[in-house]
Structure formats: C-alpha cells, structure tokens
Amino acid sequence: MFARYARLAPGEGFVLVNNHDPKPLRREFEATHPGTHTWDYVESGPDVWRVRIGRAAAEG
C-alpha cells in the first residue's frame, strides 16, 4: 500500500478492496502521512469495503 501511495502524483488515488474495515491501515496512514492523504469510503461492508486512498491535491 505504501509503495503504491508513494508513486501517486498530487490528486491521484487508488481503490483498496478488502473483506473488513481497514481501520488499522487508516491509523497508519494518519501517523505516517498526516495531512497529505485522502481516505474516502466508496463501499462500507458488510462483506466488502472499498476505500479510495489518495495523495492530497497540491495547494496553490
């Protein structure tokens, strides 16, 4: 996940598909990339979670 995130340009993202809510991964992103990532639930269970993880768009 983190290698894929590192290759994103500002404003780009990818969708993670998981069989449970990836809350631990979200906490890790918040700790290692504070304020520079986006985290948007596209689908929230009960069987499938889809989360769009992105690099925040550059300001300016």
Side-chain angles (χ1 to χ4, degrees), residues 13-14 25 35-36:
F14 63 92
L25 181 62
T36 64

Side-chain angles (χ1 to χ4, degrees), residues 6-51:
R7 292 190 306 267
L8 295 176
E12 289 185 333
F14 63 92
V15 175
L16 168 69
V17 180
N18 210 4
N19 64 357
H20 64 278
D21 190 349
K23 288 179 186 179
L25 181 62
R26 184 176 192 172
R27 286 191 296 270
E28 192 169 348
F29 262 97
E30 289 171 352
T32 58
H33 302 288
T36 64
H37 75 285
T38 59
W39 183 280
D40 300 300
Y41 284 96
V42 177
E43 186 175 348
S44 296
D47 297 319
V48 175
W49 277 258
R50 295 179 198 279
V51 179

